[in-house]
Amino acid sequence: IIEDVQVRKILDSRGNPTIEVDVITWNSKGRAAAPSGASTGSYEVVPYPKGGIDEVVSEMEDLIASELIGMDAEDLVTIDEVLKEVDGTDNLSAIGGNTTVAISMAVAKAAAASYNMPLYKYIGGNLVNELPFPLGNMMNGGAHAGINAPDIQEFLVVPVGATNISDAVFANASVHKRLKELIQSKDSNFTGGKGDEGGWVPNISNDAALEIQARACEEVGDELGIEIRPSLDIAASELWNAAEQKYIYAQDGIKRDTGDQIDFVKDIIDTYNMFYVEDPFDESDFGGFSQLTAKVGDKCLICGDDLFVTNKELLAKGIEMKAANAIIIKPNQIGSLSETYATVKLAKENNIVPVVSHRSGETTDETIAHLAVGFSSPLIKTGAIGGERIAKLNELIRIEEELPNPTMNKF
Ligand code: PGA
Ligand code: ZN
Protein backbone atom coordinates (compact mmCIF):
# COMPACT_ATOMS: atom_id res chain seq x y z
CA ILE A 1 0.00 0.00 0.00
CA ILE A 2 1.42 3.36 -1.06
CA GLU A 3 2.15 5.72 1.83
CA ASP A 4 3.90 8.55 0.04
CA VAL A 5 5.07 9.85 -3.35
CA GLN A 6 7.99 12.26 -3.41
CA VAL A 7 9.15 14.21 -6.45
CA ARG A 8 12.45 15.99 -6.93
CA LYS A 9 14.44 17.77 -9.63
CA ILE A 10 17.78 16.15 -10.48
CA LEU A 11 20.47 16.57 -13.16
CA ASP A 12 20.53 14.64 -16.40
CA SER A 13 23.54 13.78 -18.56
CA ARG A 14 23.19 16.99 -20.61
CA GLY A 15 23.12 19.11 -17.47
CA ASN A 16 19.39 19.70 -17.83
CA PRO A 17 16.87 19.17 -15.06
CA THR A 18 14.89 15.94 -14.98
CA ILE A 19 12.47 14.34 -12.58
CA GLU A 20 13.11 11.65 -9.99
CA VAL A 21 10.35 10.02 -7.98
CA ASP A 22 10.36 8.00 -4.76
CA VAL A 23 7.34 5.82 -4.07
CA ILE A 24 7.13 4.63 -0.48
CA THR A 25 4.93 1.74 0.60
CA TRP A 26 4.45 0.34 4.10
CA ASN A 27 7.31 -2.12 3.57
CA SER A 28 9.35 -0.91 0.60
CA LYS A 29 10.59 1.93 -1.57
CA GLY A 30 10.93 2.37 -5.33
CA ARG A 31 12.91 5.09 -7.07
CA ALA A 32 12.97 6.01 -10.76
CA ALA A 33 14.02 8.94 -12.93
CA ALA A 34 12.84 10.00 -16.37
CA PRO A 35 15.18 10.52 -19.35
CA SER A 36 14.76 13.08 -22.13
CA GLY A 37 15.07 13.10 -25.91
CA ALA A 38 16.69 15.56 -28.33
CA SER A 39 15.35 14.07 -31.58
CA THR A 40 11.90 13.46 -30.14
CA GLY A 41 9.03 12.12 -32.23
CA SER A 42 6.09 14.45 -32.88
CA TYR A 43 3.59 11.96 -31.48
CA GLU A 44 5.30 11.44 -28.14
CA VAL A 45 3.50 12.53 -24.99
CA VAL A 46 4.54 15.95 -23.66
CA PRO A 47 7.30 15.55 -21.03
CA TYR A 48 6.39 18.41 -18.67
CA PRO A 49 3.65 20.94 -18.00
CA LYS A 50 4.24 24.53 -19.11
CA GLY A 51 6.00 25.47 -15.89
CA GLY A 52 8.47 22.57 -16.25
CA ILE A 53 9.64 20.34 -13.44
CA ASP A 54 9.49 23.21 -10.96
CA GLU A 55 5.73 23.36 -11.46
CA VAL A 56 5.48 19.60 -10.85
CA VAL A 57 7.52 19.85 -7.65
CA SER A 58 5.85 22.97 -6.27
CA GLU A 59 2.26 22.51 -7.35
CA MET A 60 1.53 18.92 -8.31
CA GLU A 61 3.41 16.70 -5.89
CA ASP A 62 0.78 16.91 -3.14
CA LEU A 63 -2.12 16.49 -5.53
CA ILE A 64 -0.60 13.37 -7.15
CA ALA A 65 0.46 11.94 -3.80
CA SER A 66 -3.03 12.38 -2.35
CA GLU A 67 -4.52 10.45 -5.28
CA LEU A 68 -2.08 7.54 -4.98
CA ILE A 69 -1.74 7.19 -1.20
CA GLY A 70 -3.71 4.15 -0.09
CA MET A 71 -3.52 2.42 -3.49
CA ASP A 72 -1.88 -0.96 -3.93
CA ALA A 73 1.50 -0.65 -5.68
CA GLU A 74 0.84 -4.00 -7.34
CA ASP A 75 -2.12 -2.56 -9.19
CA LEU A 76 -0.05 -0.68 -11.74
CA VAL A 77 -2.67 -0.63 -14.50
CA THR A 78 -5.15 1.17 -12.22
CA ILE A 79 -2.46 3.53 -10.94
CA ASP A 80 -1.46 4.43 -14.50
CA GLU A 81 -5.15 5.09 -15.30
CA VAL A 82 -5.53 7.30 -12.24
CA LEU A 83 -2.49 9.32 -13.32
CA LYS A 84 -4.05 9.80 -16.76
CA GLU A 85 -7.30 10.94 -15.16
CA VAL A 86 -5.48 13.38 -12.90
CA ASP A 87 -3.78 14.76 -16.02
CA GLY A 88 -6.97 14.88 -18.04
CA THR A 89 -5.39 15.62 -21.45
CA ASP A 90 -4.73 13.33 -24.44
CA ASN A 91 -0.98 13.91 -24.45
CA LEU A 92 -0.25 14.17 -20.70
CA SER A 93 0.57 17.85 -21.09
CA ALA A 94 -1.04 18.85 -17.76
CA ILE A 95 1.24 16.91 -15.40
CA GLY A 96 3.77 15.68 -17.99
CA GLY A 97 4.59 12.25 -19.42
CA ASN A 98 7.95 12.29 -17.67
CA THR A 99 6.15 12.79 -14.35
CA THR A 100 3.76 9.91 -14.99
CA VAL A 101 6.41 7.53 -16.32
CA ALA A 102 8.78 8.16 -13.41
CA ILE A 103 5.93 7.51 -10.96
CA SER A 104 4.85 4.42 -12.88
CA MET A 105 8.36 2.92 -12.88
CA ALA A 106 8.91 3.84 -9.21
CA VAL A 107 5.61 2.16 -8.29
CA ALA A 108 6.68 -1.04 -10.10
CA LYS A 109 10.05 -0.97 -8.33
CA ALA A 110 8.36 -0.47 -4.97
CA ALA A 111 6.02 -3.40 -5.68
CA ALA A 112 8.97 -5.61 -6.64
CA ALA A 113 10.93 -4.49 -3.57
CA SER A 114 8.01 -5.37 -1.30
CA TYR A 115 8.57 -9.00 -2.35
CA ASN A 116 12.34 -8.57 -2.07
CA MET A 117 12.46 -9.21 -5.79
CA PRO A 118 14.45 -7.47 -8.51
CA LEU A 119 12.27 -5.65 -11.03
CA TYR A 120 13.17 -7.94 -13.96
CA LYS A 121 11.88 -10.96 -12.05
CA TYR A 122 8.76 -9.16 -10.86
CA ILE A 123 7.95 -8.36 -14.51
CA GLY A 124 9.22 -11.48 -16.26
CA GLY A 125 8.55 -14.17 -13.65
CA ASN A 126 10.79 -16.90 -12.28
CA LEU A 127 11.53 -18.40 -15.67
CA VAL A 128 13.20 -15.27 -17.04
CA ASN A 129 16.59 -16.34 -18.23
CA GLU A 130 17.69 -14.33 -21.28
CA LEU A 131 19.95 -11.32 -21.62
CA PRO A 132 19.53 -8.77 -24.42
CA PHE A 133 22.29 -8.04 -26.94
CA PRO A 134 23.58 -4.50 -26.39
CA LEU A 135 23.30 -2.09 -29.32
CA GLY A 136 26.32 0.11 -28.59
CA ASN A 137 26.65 3.70 -29.76
CA MET A 138 30.03 4.28 -31.44
CA MET A 139 29.83 7.55 -33.40
CA ASN A 140 27.29 10.38 -33.30
CA GLY A 141 26.05 12.88 -35.86
CA GLY A 142 22.83 14.72 -36.59
CA ALA A 143 20.90 16.20 -33.67
CA HIS A 144 23.24 14.52 -31.16
CA ALA A 145 26.40 16.23 -32.38
CA GLY A 146 27.91 19.39 -33.91
CA ILE A 147 27.62 20.86 -37.40
CA ASN A 148 30.58 19.16 -39.09
CA ALA A 149 29.59 15.70 -37.95
CA PRO A 150 27.93 13.10 -40.19
CA ASP A 151 24.21 13.54 -40.94
CA ILE A 152 23.40 10.04 -39.74
CA GLN A 153 22.60 10.32 -36.03
CA GLU A 154 24.00 7.08 -34.64
CA PHE A 155 26.57 4.55 -35.82
CA LEU A 156 25.91 1.49 -33.67
CA VAL A 157 27.26 -2.04 -33.32
CA VAL A 158 25.85 -5.34 -32.03
CA PRO A 159 28.14 -8.17 -30.85
CA VAL A 160 25.82 -10.81 -32.31
CA GLY A 161 28.34 -13.60 -31.68
CA ALA A 162 28.68 -12.96 -27.94
CA THR A 163 27.62 -15.81 -25.66
CA ASN A 164 27.31 -13.78 -22.46
CA ILE A 165 26.57 -10.18 -21.53
CA SER A 166 30.01 -9.43 -20.14
CA ASP A 167 31.75 -10.41 -23.40
CA ALA A 168 29.10 -8.44 -25.26
CA VAL A 169 29.53 -5.12 -23.45
CA PHE A 170 33.33 -5.38 -23.47
CA ALA A 171 33.28 -6.15 -27.20
CA ASN A 172 31.33 -2.92 -27.76
CA ALA A 173 33.76 -0.98 -25.60
CA SER A 174 36.66 -2.37 -27.66
CA VAL A 175 35.07 -1.28 -30.93
CA HIS A 176 34.53 2.17 -29.41
CA LYS A 177 38.26 2.36 -28.55
CA ARG A 178 39.32 1.12 -31.98
CA LEU A 179 37.14 3.69 -33.66
CA LYS A 180 38.93 6.51 -31.91
CA GLU A 181 42.18 5.36 -33.52
CA LEU A 182 40.54 4.96 -36.91
CA ILE A 183 38.99 8.44 -36.75
CA GLN A 184 42.37 9.90 -35.79
CA SER A 185 43.96 8.22 -38.80
CA LYS A 186 41.43 10.03 -41.05
CA ASP A 187 41.41 13.36 -39.23
CA SER A 188 44.56 14.44 -37.41
CA ASN A 189 42.64 17.32 -35.80
CA PHE A 190 40.28 14.95 -33.99
CA THR A 191 40.43 15.70 -30.28
CA GLY A 192 38.19 12.94 -28.95
CA GLY A 193 34.94 14.89 -28.80
CA LYS A 194 31.83 12.90 -28.00
CA GLY A 195 28.10 13.30 -28.62
CA ASP A 196 25.17 13.09 -26.25
CA GLU A 197 25.28 9.31 -26.03
CA GLY A 198 29.03 8.91 -25.69
CA GLY A 199 29.81 8.09 -29.31
CA TRP A 200 32.68 9.93 -31.00
CA VAL A 201 31.82 12.97 -33.09
CA PRO A 202 34.09 12.74 -36.12
CA ASN A 203 34.52 15.49 -38.66
CA ILE A 204 34.22 13.08 -41.59
CA SER A 205 31.67 12.22 -44.27
CA ASN A 206 28.84 9.75 -43.82
CA ASP A 207 30.62 7.37 -46.22
CA ALA A 208 33.92 7.58 -44.37
CA ALA A 209 32.13 6.95 -41.08
CA LEU A 210 30.36 3.89 -42.54
CA GLU A 211 33.67 2.52 -43.77
CA ILE A 212 35.56 2.82 -40.51
CA GLN A 213 32.56 1.50 -38.58
CA ALA A 214 32.63 -1.66 -40.71
CA ARG A 215 36.39 -1.93 -40.39
CA ALA A 216 36.32 -1.60 -36.59
CA CYS A 217 33.65 -4.33 -36.38
CA GLU A 218 35.71 -6.67 -38.49
CA GLU A 219 39.08 -6.03 -36.83
CA VAL A 220 37.82 -6.21 -33.24
CA GLY A 221 35.50 -9.09 -34.10
CA ASP A 222 38.46 -11.09 -35.47
CA GLU A 223 40.64 -10.29 -32.46
CA LEU A 224 37.98 -11.32 -29.95
CA GLY A 225 36.53 -14.18 -31.98
CA ILE A 226 33.05 -12.62 -31.67
CA GLU A 227 31.01 -11.62 -34.71
CA ILE A 228 30.16 -7.91 -34.46
CA ARG A 229 27.75 -6.31 -36.92
CA PRO A 230 27.26 -2.62 -37.77
CA SER A 231 23.91 -0.90 -37.29
CA LEU A 232 22.49 2.62 -37.69
CA ASP A 233 19.93 5.05 -36.35
CA ILE A 234 19.40 7.42 -39.28
CA ALA A 235 16.81 9.47 -37.32
CA ALA A 236 15.54 10.57 -40.74
CA SER A 237 12.76 12.80 -39.36
CA GLU A 238 15.57 15.20 -38.50
CA LEU A 239 16.79 15.19 -42.13
CA TRP A 240 13.34 15.45 -43.75
CA ASN A 241 12.41 18.81 -45.25
CA ALA A 242 8.63 18.81 -45.75
CA ALA A 243 8.60 21.88 -48.01
CA GLU A 244 11.11 20.34 -50.42
CA GLN A 245 9.88 16.76 -49.83
CA LYS A 246 13.51 15.70 -49.56
CA TYR A 247 15.98 14.33 -47.06
CA ILE A 248 18.78 16.88 -46.74
CA TYR A 249 22.25 15.47 -46.13
CA ALA A 250 23.93 18.77 -45.24
CA GLN A 251 27.38 17.31 -44.64
CA ASP A 252 27.47 15.54 -48.00
CA GLY A 253 25.56 18.32 -49.82
CA ILE A 254 23.03 15.79 -51.18
CA LYS A 255 19.21 15.85 -51.22
CA ARG A 256 17.23 12.64 -51.59
CA ASP A 257 13.53 12.09 -52.24
CA THR A 258 11.82 9.02 -50.78
CA GLY A 259 12.75 6.82 -53.75
CA ASP A 260 16.40 7.91 -53.53
CA GLN A 261 16.33 7.33 -49.79
CA ILE A 262 15.07 3.76 -50.27
CA ASP A 263 17.92 3.05 -52.72
CA PHE A 264 20.48 4.80 -50.50
CA VAL A 265 19.56 2.84 -47.37
CA LYS A 266 19.21 -0.47 -49.20
CA ASP A 267 22.64 0.04 -50.69
CA ILE A 268 24.15 0.71 -47.25
CA ILE A 269 22.48 -2.40 -45.83
CA ASP A 270 23.83 -4.56 -48.68
CA THR A 271 27.31 -3.05 -48.75
CA TYR A 272 27.97 -3.16 -45.01
CA ASN A 273 25.85 -6.16 -44.04
CA MET A 274 23.91 -3.97 -41.60
CA PHE A 275 22.25 -5.83 -38.76
CA TYR A 276 19.78 -3.10 -37.80
CA VAL A 277 18.63 0.24 -39.22
CA GLU A 278 16.41 2.56 -37.18
CA ASP A 279 14.21 5.34 -38.55
CA PRO A 280 15.39 5.28 -42.18
CA PHE A 281 12.42 7.53 -43.12
CA ASP A 282 10.45 10.42 -41.72
CA GLU A 283 8.05 9.59 -38.88
CA SER A 284 5.01 10.09 -41.16
CA ASP A 285 6.30 7.89 -43.99
CA PHE A 286 4.88 4.45 -43.22
CA GLY A 287 4.95 3.80 -47.00
CA GLY A 288 8.71 4.30 -47.30
CA PHE A 289 9.23 1.99 -44.32
CA SER A 290 7.01 -0.68 -45.93
CA GLN A 291 8.89 -0.59 -49.22
CA LEU A 292 12.29 -0.89 -47.57
CA THR A 293 11.12 -3.66 -45.22
CA ALA A 294 9.76 -5.59 -48.21
CA LYS A 295 13.18 -5.35 -49.91
CA VAL A 296 15.53 -6.11 -46.99
CA GLY A 297 13.40 -7.20 -44.01
CA ASP A 298 14.57 -10.80 -44.35
CA LYS A 299 18.19 -9.88 -43.63
CA CYS A 300 18.11 -6.68 -41.59
CA LEU A 301 16.04 -5.35 -38.70
CA ILE A 302 14.17 -2.23 -39.82
CA CYS A 303 13.21 -0.44 -36.62
CA GLY A 304 10.67 2.31 -35.94
CA ASP A 305 11.42 4.83 -33.18
CA ASP A 306 9.87 8.22 -34.07
CA LEU A 307 7.55 6.20 -36.34
CA PHE A 308 5.90 4.33 -33.44
CA VAL A 309 6.83 6.34 -30.31
CA THR A 310 6.09 3.21 -28.21
CA ASN A 311 2.40 3.73 -29.07
CA LYS A 312 0.27 0.62 -29.50
CA GLU A 313 -2.06 2.19 -32.08
CA LEU A 314 0.82 3.37 -34.26
CA LEU A 315 2.42 -0.06 -33.95
CA ALA A 316 -0.88 -1.68 -35.02
CA LYS A 317 -0.82 0.51 -38.14
CA GLY A 318 2.80 -0.50 -38.76
CA ILE A 319 1.93 -4.19 -38.40
CA GLU A 320 -0.90 -3.85 -40.88
CA MET A 321 1.36 -2.06 -43.36
CA LYS A 322 4.35 -4.36 -42.70
CA ALA A 323 6.30 -1.16 -42.09
CA ALA A 324 9.01 -2.60 -39.82
CA ASN A 325 10.22 -5.73 -38.07
CA ALA A 326 11.49 -4.00 -34.92
CA ILE A 327 10.27 -1.26 -32.58
CA ILE A 328 12.11 1.01 -30.17
CA ILE A 329 10.62 0.90 -26.66
CA LYS A 330 11.08 4.12 -24.66
CA PRO A 331 8.67 4.25 -21.71
CA ASN A 332 8.67 8.05 -21.55
CA GLN A 333 7.41 8.30 -25.15
CA ILE A 334 4.08 6.88 -23.97
CA GLY A 335 4.12 7.92 -20.30
CA SER A 336 3.48 4.71 -18.34
CA LEU A 337 4.93 1.28 -17.75
CA SER A 338 1.63 -0.54 -18.29
CA GLU A 339 1.15 1.01 -21.73
CA THR A 340 4.80 0.30 -22.52
CA TYR A 341 4.15 -3.33 -21.66
CA ALA A 342 1.02 -3.43 -23.84
CA THR A 343 3.07 -2.21 -26.81
CA VAL A 344 5.80 -4.79 -26.15
CA LYS A 345 3.16 -7.52 -25.96
CA LEU A 346 1.59 -6.51 -29.27
CA ALA A 347 5.04 -6.41 -30.87
CA LYS A 348 5.95 -9.90 -29.67
CA GLU A 349 2.63 -11.37 -30.77
CA ASN A 350 3.42 -10.12 -34.27
CA ASN A 351 7.11 -11.07 -34.44
CA ILE A 352 8.23 -7.47 -34.17
CA VAL A 353 11.48 -7.28 -32.17
CA PRO A 354 11.09 -4.92 -29.18
CA VAL A 355 14.28 -2.92 -28.53
CA VAL A 356 14.26 -1.39 -25.05
CA SER A 357 16.08 1.93 -25.29
CA HIS A 358 17.66 4.81 -23.39
CA ARG A 359 17.29 8.41 -24.55
CA SER A 360 20.01 10.86 -25.44
CA GLY A 361 19.50 12.65 -22.12
CA GLU A 362 19.81 10.06 -19.34
CA THR A 363 20.43 9.59 -15.64
CA THR A 364 22.11 6.75 -13.78
CA ASP A 365 18.68 5.13 -13.34
CA GLU A 366 19.09 1.48 -14.35
CA THR A 367 15.41 0.58 -14.81
CA ILE A 368 15.61 -0.14 -18.55
CA ALA A 369 18.13 -2.95 -17.94
CA HIS A 370 15.43 -4.66 -15.87
CA LEU A 371 12.77 -3.95 -18.46
CA ALA A 372 14.86 -5.46 -21.26
CA VAL A 373 15.39 -8.67 -19.25
CA GLY A 374 11.84 -8.74 -17.84
CA PHE A 375 10.27 -8.21 -21.27
CA SER A 376 12.72 -10.73 -22.76
CA SER A 377 13.78 -8.14 -25.30
CA PRO A 378 16.42 -9.45 -27.75
CA LEU A 379 18.16 -6.06 -27.89
CA ILE A 380 18.85 -3.16 -25.53
CA LYS A 381 20.00 0.18 -26.87
CA THR A 382 21.88 2.03 -24.19
CA GLY A 383 25.18 3.37 -25.47
CA ALA A 384 28.59 1.87 -24.81
CA ILE A 385 30.40 4.15 -22.36
CA GLY A 386 29.68 7.06 -20.02
CA GLY A 387 28.30 6.88 -16.48
CA GLU A 388 24.62 7.11 -17.39
CA ARG A 389 25.05 4.43 -20.09
CA ILE A 390 27.21 1.99 -18.10
CA ALA A 391 24.68 2.23 -15.24
CA LYS A 392 22.45 0.03 -17.42
CA LEU A 393 25.21 -2.16 -18.90
CA ASN A 394 26.75 -2.94 -15.51
CA GLU A 395 23.30 -3.74 -14.12
CA LEU A 396 22.94 -6.33 -16.91
CA ILE A 397 26.22 -7.92 -15.77
CA ARG A 398 24.83 -8.12 -12.21
CA ILE A 399 21.52 -9.55 -13.45
CA GLU A 400 23.33 -12.21 -15.47
CA GLU A 401 25.07 -13.31 -12.29
CA GLU A 402 21.73 -13.74 -10.53
CA LEU A 403 20.00 -15.78 -13.24
CA PRO A 404 20.04 -19.55 -12.67
CA ASN A 405 20.87 -20.49 -16.24
CA PRO A 406 21.57 -17.34 -18.24
CA THR A 407 21.73 -17.28 -22.04
CA MET A 408 21.80 -14.52 -24.62
CA ASN A 409 18.42 -13.85 -26.22
CA LYS A 410 17.57 -15.12 -29.71
CA PHE A 411 16.30 -13.28 -32.75
P1 PGA B 1 16.48 10.98 -28.49
O1 PGA B 1 17.16 10.13 -29.62
O2 PGA B 1 16.57 10.28 -27.20
O3 PGA B 1 17.27 12.24 -28.56
O4 PGA B 1 15.06 11.17 -28.97
C1 PGA B 1 17.50 8.82 -29.51
C2 PGA B 1 17.03 8.10 -30.73
O5 PGA B 1 16.64 8.73 -31.73
O6 PGA B 1 17.03 6.87 -30.71
ZN1 ZN C 1 16.07 6.77 -32.78
Side-chain angles (χ1 to χ4, degrees), residues 153-154 233 278-279 305 330 381:
Q153 181 177 283
E154 299 168 30
D233 181 0
E278 182 179 326
D279 281 352
D305 172 13
K330 294 170 172 168
K381 187 184 175 199

Side-chain angles (χ1 to χ4, degrees), residues 14 36-40 44 144 153-154 197 233 235 278 305 330 358-360 381:
R14 279 193 277 253
S36 78
S39 59
T40 48
E44 295 187 21
H144 290 175
Q153 181 177 283
E154 299 168 30
E197 295 179 358
D233 181 0
E278 182 179 326
D305 172 13
K330 294 170 172 168
H358 68 170
R359 304 226 52 166
S360 50
K381 187 184 175 199

Side-chain angles (χ1 to χ4, degrees), residues 87-351:
D87 180 273
T89 69
D90 288 341
N91 57 7
L92 298 175
S93 56
I95 61 174
N98 270 9
T99 309
T100 57
V101 83
I103 294 171
S104 186
M105 293 193 302
V107 166
K109 286 165 107 174
S114 75
Y115 286 99
N116 257 321
M117 231 187 230
L119 182 62
Y120 69 84
K121 199 182 274 188
Y122 179 74
I123 293 172
N126 279 325
L127 295 176
V128 60
N129 206 27
E130 290 167 314
L131 278 303
F133 284 90
L135 251 171
N137 188 314
M138 300 293 132
M139 290 185 287
N140 290 171
H144 290 175
I147 47 169
N148 290 321
D151 301 298
I152 293 172
Q153 181 177 283
E154 299 168 30
F155 296 81
L156 306 153
V157 303
V158 186
V160 293
T163 53
N164 62 68
I165 193 70
S166 177
D167 286 356
V169 304
F170 280 98
N172 283 359
S174 297
V175 176
H176 188 269
K177 283 201 175 85
R178 178 64 48 89
L179 269 167
K180 184 180 189 187
E181 297 161 16
L182 292 174
I183 296 166
Q184 275 165 338
S185 71
K186 296 237 168 217
D187 174 10
S188 55
N189 290 323
F190 182 64
T191 54
K194 296 187 209 119
D196 286 349
E197 295 179 358
W200 307 112
V201 177
N203 183 1
I204 58 178
S205 68
N206 292 295
D207 278 344
L210 286 165
E211 261 163 45
I212 59 171
Q213 176 193 31
R215 203 173 130 196
C217 285
E218 230 176 272
E219 288 179 5
V220 175
D222 284 350
E223 278 164 32
L224 300 178
I226 292 175
E227 189 190 0
I228 304 171
R229 300 255 312 264
S231 299
L232 296 175
D233 181 0
I234 299 182
S237 293
E238 303 291 318
L239 305 176
W240 179 244
N241 183 310
E244 290 193 43
Q245 293 284 300
K246 293 230 163 81
Y247 294 94
I248 316 255
Y249 289 76
Q251 223 245 15
D252 293 346
I254 297 174
K255 298 181 181 183
R256 296 185 170 93
D257 65 19
T258 299
D260 300 333
Q261 180 79 352
I262 293 171
D263 296 343
F264 172 67
V265 178
K266 180 178 182 305
D267 189 52
I268 289 176
I269 290 169
D270 292 341
T271 307
Y272 297 102
N273 190 23
M274 286 282 158
F275 180 75
Y276 166 104
V277 175
E278 182 179 326
D279 281 352
F281 301 95
D282 179 62
E283 63 197 359
S284 62
D285 191 2
F286 279 78
F289 269 88
S290 296
Q291 289 186 59
L292 183 69
T293 301
K295 285 182 203 284
V296 297
D298 56 336
K299 58 180 171 186
C300 179
L301 290 173
I302 303 298
C303 184
D305 172 13
D306 293 350
L307 183 73
F308 296 135
V309 293
T310 316
N311 181 308
K312 203 176 132 188
E313 271 77 50
L314 290 171
L315 175 60
K317 179 178 171 184
I319 289 167
E320 202 181 300
M321 291 186 66
K322 297 190 166 58
N325 51 19
I327 176 176
I328 281 282
I329 299 294
K330 294 170 172 168
N332 86 324
Q333 286 181 325
I334 192 72
S336 76
L337 195 52
S338 50
E339 286 166 290
T340 300
Y341 178 68
T343 304
V344 170
K345 192 162 165 281
L346 180 66
K348 291 176 115 181
E349 285 163 3
N350 290 278
N351 291 321

